[in-house]
Amino acid sequence: MGYTNYRGLCDDYPTSRVLAALTLGLYTALVIASLIGQFYKQWKLKTNRIGHREVNYISIARNPTLMVLGTITSYIFTLVQLLRVVISRKLFPCFMFSFTYWMGVPGLAAIILGRCVRLVALTWMNQLKVKIGKRKLLSQSFMLENTESRSLLMDENRVELMSASNVELQSLSGVSISQSFSSIGALMNEDQQDLGPATNVESSSEQKEKKDESIVTRSNNETANNKRNSENSEEIIRLGSSRFDKQKLRMYRFFTSSKFIAILFALIYGTHLIIYFSVGVADYFNVQSGSLEKLQNKKLSFVVGTHLLSEQGCGNGTYNLVVMATYFGAYLILLLGFVIVALFMKNDVWKIKWELSLICVGWLLSTITYAVPSFFSDITTLVDYFFPWQLFLIFGCIWDTFVAHFLPVFVYQRNRNSSKPRDSQSSGGNSSNHIKKCLTSKKWNSKFLLFNEKSYCPEDVMMWNAIEQFKMIKSNKKRVELFRTIVRTYILIGAPLELNIARSTNGIPEIIELCNSINETNLESISISISIFNEIQQVCEHNMVDSFLRFHSEFRKELEQELGIKFEDI
Amino acid sequence: MGNIVVSPHDKEGQHHMMATPTSNNPNGGSAATAKNKSEITVLLLGAGESGKSTLFKQVQFFHGVGITHDQERIELIEIVRLNVLENAKNLVAATQHLNIPIEQPENRETAKLIINSLNTNDLEDPSWSKRLYSLWKDAGIQKAYENREKFQLYDSTEYLFENLDRICSDKYVPTVVDVIRTRTKTIGITDMKFDVGDGKQLRLVDVGGQRNERRKWIHFFNTVDAVVFLTSLSEFDLNLYEDNGYWRVKESLRVFNEVVNNALFYKVPFVLLFNKRDLFEKKIATKSFSKYFSGFNEAEEKNPVACIEYMTKLFLNEITEHPLDTVSVKTLSAIDHDNSKQVFEEVKQFIMTQQHRE
């Protein structure tokens, strides 16, 4: 393609320039739009102007740094390639042009590599998070009960001796305290019967009946709850040790972070720059000490032959093409491995797998159309002046930017918005909105949870979080399992973290019925709607209003500064 | 999170209610060892919707806390409107459930909107005042309202619907009465402190009353100096919110029995407050009281005093352990400011004298 010898270098035909200029203009517009769009949407997400339940297609599933880096790399490659045609190959600084041959393939491959690693790490991380979250749910409820039973034991010195084991058992297994203190009362009655007559003789027989009743129900509860208890602890053991998981989680977090992207890019760029400059230095000394004949030998004269120092522009030399082809081959093998692993990932919540496959297909097509005719230099040499052959590579770049940047910013993110108009519409300053805002912020969510724990009402926030988690799960089996755990922890009467909620509405009868119908054999076949807990989640939000107002008066300033939560002034 | 002490003289500054109950501290001392301490902890107990929080809000109000300030009440707009919506929703749902059609077509439209899409922000629009009021006055809804013992409905319903023209306006600021009247289900436990003279402080603890909330009460049982147990007189025809097939009176009696006979309260002054006297008197004028209590003389059922006397006996019969001379029984209408102030003053005096005696 083109002549390597600068003496034979001709200018491109106008058709070539027009095509190059058009493509460059189009691509520039696409890049600018994507970047501006991305920053705007990110800002919107950050200030929470998009509804809180919005799926975040930009800054969680995708890494904004990677998106920007990828687009910029493609764009620089394109810019150098096309500007050279537009300006004229004779004038364009040759070192820049040949540089893209050395760096283009590694740079573009790094982006795809980054995407693959991210996709794999993200999927594994989510699977792990679901696992950990489930365990947390269980252990939290256990912890709470433990503290409950501990304080019970400490508080009631008198009762302790008689009913310590009872209280411990019952509160551990989640029997309501009112029940357990009724049994304490019953035991007390028994004990004090001979100390003094009951105040009201008339009712004492009735009392006795009641007492017997409560003892019976207590023992029933005990056995039932012991059974449930052991089931729970089995589940905990089955879920594995948490320290190992935490390390794994940290590793996945690293692989999905911007830090990893930065390190990956630095590594790849660094390696190739070192190669580039070492070859350059070696060639330079060759030129300095060598003869003119050597200079004529293109393969050895990197500096002059590829015109690092040329003042008159250059064509794309065979030598550069060989370098590019070598890199391409090496990265193709590496990427193939990663892409195949990535495409085997199960879930595709944020369309990243879909995106990756589209990009790979794009690159495959563009490199084939570019590379195959390159073997027949007669074709390319003749055509190149009329039609810049590298446009095929550029199309690959444009496709890459379009799929990986433009689509997520403008199509995926917007689609969600318009399908849920009510979310974005309710921007008014009311407390249920404030509560949602507070709950969707990671930091404030845990702060609010802690606050509620101190006011003895953590169950609504915990349930709310569990429901959010439930909605994120894609695997049917895991969803059924979490569904069961939620029902047993929060919804059943006497559950360890029983919610304060009306039982006859909010879809609760249906939920309990569904939960009862689940057994080990049909675990796989049952499908549960992702919105099954929506009504309950709303009740949880309503339940929080009371404690949120108190929370708000304590953190008024911080809530206003960090989340923009403010009740209207008069 | 510190506890803010509120005194009647503290008019501006710190009107934030404290949120952290101090008894998180396990060294808080038990009732037996704390006779002469400077803080008197009074628990407000009772089943759901017995009026604990209403009394709590009234006491806050006498002491210039929270809702006396416009700014604090503005934060409650949402709650008032949520009450309106919930009442409307419950009424509409009841018409379906009870097979009473809403009569006017335009009210049926309104009902549809209420069930499907209406949210509290929409109520800023004054046109909703007319629509909701017209729905409220619909013969079908009124008939459902007359049968309100068959479903769950807040006591505030009538009041809120009659005040829609204020509530449905973008300039709406809830009045103190609005705040007292609105129902907010208490979740967890909250408290407030105020000076009662003699260098003593009274710490009033408010709790949730539903079954799941009751298991949390025990956290406070060891630090108690007095218990005020509320029960609603007007619940004789109602079933539980958390278990819609369980008679509320039975639940109240059961909870009362558990609390009053608890060993930890054996030496503690105990006040039984029969709340919602106002509603009760209205209710027995139209509903049969004796229908629910087989032991009650039917001829006396329109006489509130006789009814209350009967209820008192019913509750006192539950007491088997607690010494009767440290139990005081009173009636109350917690939504009535003057009445609550007077009754609470009496309760305070009773508790203080009991404390003194020991």
Side-chain angles (χ1 to χ4, degrees):
Chain A
M1 288 178 271
Y3 293 96
T4 14
N5 189 330
Y6 64 88
R7 285 196 192 98
L9 212 58
C10 303
D11 270 326
D12 286 285
Y13 279 86
T15 48
S16 200
R17 291 190 168 187
V18 169
L19 275 172
L22 264 177
T23 315
L24 189 62
L26 210 84
Y27 193 31
T28 312
L30 181 73
V31 168
I32 291 173
S34 301
L35 285 176
I36 290 176
Q38 184 199 346
F39 291 135
Y40 173 66
K41 294 242 158 125
Q42 254 182 279
W43 170 76
K44 254 170 87 172
L45 280 170
K46 207 172 167 189
T47 52
N48 227 343
R49 300 216 178 183
I50 296 177
H52 84 292
R53 282 184 195 157
E54 203 55 65
V55 177
N56 183 338
Y57 278 88
I58 298 176
S59 51
I60 291 175
R62 289 171 183 75
N63 186 313
T65 322
L66 181 63
M67 281 165 84
V68 171
L69 269 177
T71 300
I72 287 177
T73 313
S74 303
Y75 187 69
I76 289 173
F77 180 73
T78 309
L79 191 71
V80 172
Q81 290 281 336
L82 293 184
L83 260 186
R84 171 174 163 274
V85 177
V86 174
I87 288 173
S88 143
R89 0 182 134 198
K90 279 183 182 168
L91 296 174
F92 194 77
C94 195
F95 73 92
M96 266 192 186
F97 177 59
S98 56
F99 190 67
T100 58
Y101 274 81
W102 285 76
M103 299 303 291
V105 171
L108 294 171
I111 305 165
I112 300 180
L113 197 66
R115 284 184 192 133
C116 289
V117 172
R118 243 187 93 74
L119 174 59
V120 174
L122 206 64
T123 314
W124 286 347
M125 185 169 78
N126 275 345
Q127 283 167 355
L128 188 68
K129 268 186 183 168
V130 169
K131 210 168 103 183
I132 292 178
K134 222 174 112 178
R135 191 169 43 229
K136 232 189 218 162
L137 207 85
L138 281 170
S139 61
Q140 248 170 350
S141 63
F142 267 72
M143 242 166 54
L144 205 96
E145 285 151 29
N146 277 331
T147 47
E148 233 167 46
S149 74
R150 215 182 315 125
S151 65
L152 258 174
L153 291 174
M154 265 194 282
D155 296 351
E156 298 171 24
N157 302 328
R158 282 182 62 197
V159 187
E160 187 181 26
L161 284 172
M162 289 182 287
S163 56
S165 59
N166 259 324
V167 174
E168 190 175 38
L169 252 176
Q170 295 205 343
S171 59
L172 242 172
S173 50
V175 178
S176 79
I177 299 257
S178 68
Q179 249 169 333
S180 58
F181 70 66
S182 87
S183 61
I184 296 170
L187 283 164
M188 292 291 289
N189 280 348
E190 217 161 27
D191 200 53
Q192 292 184 347
Q193 216 131 52
D194 45 10
L195 290 176
T199 327
N200 200 316
V201 184
E202 239 178 297
S203 67
S204 72
S205 63
E206 210 184 297
Q207 192 68 31
K208 208 165 186 179
E209 247 176 60
K210 257 188 199 166
K211 176 188 71 192
D212 290 338
E213 225 177 74
S214 80
I215 290 172
V216 170
T217 49
R218 192 190 64 217
S219 57
N220 280 348
N221 277 327
E222 255 170 49
T223 46
N225 286 305
N226 279 344
K227 220 172 98 194
R228 202 174 55 205
N229 223 4
S230 62
E231 258 172 48
N232 279 353
S233 46
E234 262 168 41
E235 211 162 345
I236 284 181
I237 293 160
R238 195 167 50 74
L239 286 166
S241 79
S242 75
R243 226 181 58 202
F244 177 62
D245 281 346
K246 261 185 196 154
Q247 275 170 350
K248 255 175 42 184
L249 193 69
R250 212 175 299 143
M251 193 177 78
Y252 294 149
R253 280 225 176 94
F254 166 72
F255 278 121
T256 52
S257 66
S258 302
K259 209 161 106 192
F260 169 71
I261 302 296
I263 290 173
L264 180 75
F265 269 71
L267 213 69
I268 288 179
Y269 273 84
T271 315
H272 286 278
L273 282 175
I274 288 169
I275 296 173
Y276 178 73
F277 283 114
S278 349
V279 174
V281 168
D283 256 14
Y284 182 76
F285 283 108
N286 261 339
V287 172
Q288 290 283 306
S289 58
S291 61
L292 252 161
E293 284 150 47
K294 265 189 177 169
L295 265 181
Q296 298 303 322
N297 187 342
K298 293 170 232 157
K299 287 208 171 171
L300 283 176
S301 52
F302 167 77
V303 183
V304 178
T306 55
H307 310 283
L308 187 65
L309 304 172
S310 162
E311 288 153 5
Q312 286 180 303
C314 55
N316 31 3
T318 329
Y319 185 56
N320 284 335
L321 271 179
V322 169
V323 169
M324 191 158 109
T326 318
Y327 283 167
F328 179 74
Y331 277 104
L332 189 70
I333 293 164
L334 183 72
L335 283 181
L336 225 56
F338 274 95
V339 168
I340 287 169
V341 173
L343 292 184
F344 268 106
M345 290 295 107
K346 257 196 217 150
N347 306 326
D348 191 19
V349 193
W350 301 283
K351 303 194 181 176
I352 31 180
K353 205 171 97 181
W354 168 245
E355 180 184 297
L356 190 71
S357 9
L358 276 182
I359 289 168
C360 288
V361 169
W363 275 118
L364 213 65
L365 285 178
S366 73
T367 42
I368 286 173
T369 41
Y370 174 76
V372 173
S374 298
F375 290 112
F376 311 101
S377 56
D378 288 335
I379 307 176
T380 51
T381 314
L382 285 172
V383 175
D384 197 32
Y385 282 103
F386 304 96
F387 176 83
W389 203 251
Q390 61 269 40
L391 269 186
F392 285 115
L393 283 184
I394 305 305
F395 289 149
C397 289
I398 295 177
W399 181 244
D400 187 299
T401 305
F402 180 74
V403 173
H405 207 155
F406 188 86
L407 281 187
V409 168
F410 288 99
V411 180
Y412 303 156
Q413 196 71 42
R414 205 199 57 192
N415 262 357
R416 273 305 179 132
N417 247 348
S418 55
S419 69
K420 277 187 175 178
R422 290 202 55 197
D423 264 6
S424 47
Q425 158 209 330
S426 52
S427 55
N430 61 43
S431 52
S432 62
N433 242 354
H434 294 333
I435 290 174
K436 277 181 197 163
K437 240 186 221 176
C438 180
L439 287 170
T440 41
S441 147
K442 215 170 156 189
K443 173 187 161 193
W444 284 99
N445 184 303
S446 56
K447 251 187 164 169
F448 188 43
L449 179 61
L450 193 75
F451 180 88
N452 278 345
E453 259 166 27
K454 287 185 177 164
S455 316
Y456 303 97
C457 50
E459 61 271 11
D460 289 302
V461 180
M462 285 168 75
M463 176 66 168
W464 196 92
N465 290 340
I467 295 172
E468 285 299 293
Q469 195 187 6
F470 175 80
K471 289 193 213 157
M472 300 287 267
I473 295 182
K474 280 276 158 176
S475 144
N476 193 50
K477 196 181 158 210
K478 294 222 169 81
R479 195 189 305 170
V480 173
E481 279 172 11
L482 183 59
F483 171 80
R484 248 165 135 189
T485 316
I486 287 179
V487 173
R488 285 175 181 170
T489 317
Y490 299 98
I491 296 178
L492 292 180
I493 289 176
L497 288 163
E498 187 185 339
L499 294 173
N500 188 339
I501 189 169
R503 305 275 150 193
S504 51
T505 53
N506 305 308
I508 287 185
E510 292 83 4
I511 288 173
I512 290 176
E513 198 179 313
L514 183 61
C515 185
N516 287 337
S517 73
I518 297 172
N519 53 45
E520 295 311 319
T521 49
N522 63 8
L523 202 63
E524 305 277 342
S525 59
I526 279 184
S527 76
I528 297 173
S529 157
I530 204 157
S531 56
I532 194 161
F533 290 127
N534 280 7
E535 280 177 72
I536 298 182
Q537 197 173 27
Q538 220 170 18
V539 176
C540 287
E541 281 168 24
H542 286 178
N543 279 353
M544 288 175 218
V545 170
D546 181 37
S547 73
F548 182 75
L549 288 173
R550 275 177 273 128
F551 181 66
H552 176 259
S553 52
E554 195 159 317
F555 295 100
R556 198 179 293 269
K557 254 194 202 138
E558 294 97 314
L559 278 168
E560 192 186 329
Q561 276 166 4
E562 289 179 32
L563 297 177
I565 288 177
K566 190 171 191 286
F567 290 96
E568 305 149 52
D569 285 307
I570 313 158
Chain B
M1 283 179 259
N3 296 324
I4 293 152
V5 176
V6 183
S7 70
H9 316 290
D10 185 333
K11 281 273 153 71
E12 40 317 287
Q14 304 178 313
H15 48 264
H16 303 161
M17 252 253 310
M18 59 183 214
T20 326
T22 36
S23 76
N24 278 343
N25 170 12
N27 307 322
S30 71
T33 61
K35 261 171 232 162
N36 292 318
K37 64 181 182 180
S38 59
E39 191 178 287
I40 305 164
T41 303
V42 178
L43 282 187
L44 289 176
L45 302 179
E49 287 182 74
S50 55
K52 299 176 290 298
S53 298
T54 310
L55 183 61
F56 189 77
K57 280 188 274 189
Q58 289 282 20
V59 175
Q60 274 188 297
F61 182 50
F62 317 144
H63 292 92
V65 193
I67 55 171
T68 37
H69 303 258
D70 279 3
Q71 190 59 46
E72 298 271 335
R73 290 202 308 275
I74 275 195
E75 295 176 4
L76 302 172
I77 293 177
E78 170 89 352
I79 292 183
V80 177
R81 289 186 177 151
L82 215 56
N83 261 245
V84 172
L85 282 188
E86 276 171 27
N87 283 331
K89 266 182 195 166
N90 287 337
L91 277 170
V92 171
T95 57
Q96 288 162 356
H97 180 68
L98 301 173
N99 264 328
I100 307 170
I102 297 172
E103 289 188 355
Q104 302 302 318
E106 71 265 21
N107 291 337
R108 277 202 287 273
E109 269 315 297
T110 311
K112 239 185 237 165
L113 284 171
I114 287 170
I115 296 291
N116 294 326
S117 66
L118 200 63
N119 68 36
T120 49
N121 282 344
D122 299 332
L123 295 189
E124 275 185 19
D125 182 354
S127 69
W128 274 104
S129 152
K130 283 198 197 86
R131 297 185 73 166
L132 286 174
Y133 191 74
S134 146
L135 177 75
W136 165 242
K137 285 292 170 199
D138 189 280
I141 292 284
Q142 281 297 319
K143 201 170 162 200
Y145 183 66
E146 278 163 30
N147 288 293
R148 60 185 173 279
E149 76 277 2
K150 296 194 175 103
F151 55 97
Q152 299 291 334
L153 196 68
Y154 301 155
D155 297 328
S156 60
T157 311
E158 189 172 352
Y159 172 83
L160 289 174
F161 277 111
E162 294 296 337
N163 286 282
L164 279 173
D165 50 337
R166 279 190 304 114
I167 296 167
C168 297
S169 145
D170 53 354
K171 293 192 182 62
Y172 174 58
V173 176
T175 64
V176 172
V177 180
D178 292 347
V179 174
I180 297 286
R181 288 280 193 145
T182 45
R183 155 103 182 126
T184 321
K185 192 167 58 184
T186 308
I187 310 279
I189 299 172
T190 57
D191 62 355
M192 69 174 288
K193 285 182 199 174
F194 50 90
D195 290 338
V196 283
D198 269 0
K200 288 194 174 181
Q201 277 192 334
L202 198 141
R203 171 177 182 219
L204 194 62
V205 182
D206 183 26
V207 301
Q210 285 74 26
R211 283 178 181 172
N212 78 310
E213 300 296 328
R214 267 178 248 151
R215 61 166 97 171
K216 304 168 183 171
W217 293 0
I218 200 140
H219 292 289
F220 276 73
F221 280 9
N222 67 325
T223 49
V224 162
D225 301 303
V227 176
V228 175
F229 190 94
L230 282 93
T231 180
S232 164
L233 280 169
S234 72
E235 68 185 7
F236 65 83
D237 59 346
L238 300 176
N239 282 343
L240 286 181
Y241 162 83
E242 63 270 39
D243 180 358
N244 203 359
Y246 201 93
W247 188 29
R248 288 196 184 203
V249 176
K250 200 172 159 195
E251 180 86 344
S252 273
L253 282 167
R254 199 165 66 90
V255 181
F256 180 71
N257 183 314
E258 287 167 3
V259 174
V260 79
N261 296 320
N262 192 299
L264 290 166
F265 300 149
Y266 190 70
K267 289 187 174 167
V268 159
F270 208 99
V271 182
L272 173 60
L273 288 184
F274 285 104
N275 190 20
K276 307 196 187 177
R277 193 193 166 122
D278 52 327
L279 265 181
F280 174 70
E281 284 175 9
K282 267 190 216 159
K283 197 175 254 182
I284 55 166
T286 54
K287 292 238 159 87
S288 166
F289 181 77
S290 60
K291 193 176 126 193
Y292 296 89
F293 301 94
S294 52
F296 186 72
N297 179 10
E298 206 183 323
E300 290 255 59
E301 73 169 358
K302 299 295 169 202
N303 175 3
V305 179
C307 293
I308 292 168
E309 207 169 289
Y310 178 80
M311 295 287 286
T312 311
K313 258 190 210 156
L314 212 58
F315 272 83
L316 291 184
N317 268 352
E318 294 288 330
I319 305 176
T320 55
E321 304 301 320
H322 202 283
L324 278 176
D325 59 337
T326 54
V327 177
S328 163
V329 183
K330 295 178 193 306
T331 60
L332 168 72
S333 171
I335 52 163
D336 179 331
H337 176 260
D338 295 336
N339 182 253
S340 325
K341 192 166 185 171
Q342 187 203 329
V343 171
F344 188 73
E345 203 52 48
E346 287 169 21
V347 169
K348 208 162 78 184
Q349 285 313 318
F350 173 74
I351 292 169
M352 305 276 276
T353 31
Q354 290 291 327
Q355 286 266 315
H356 221 66
R357 237 177 46 174
E358 296 219 354

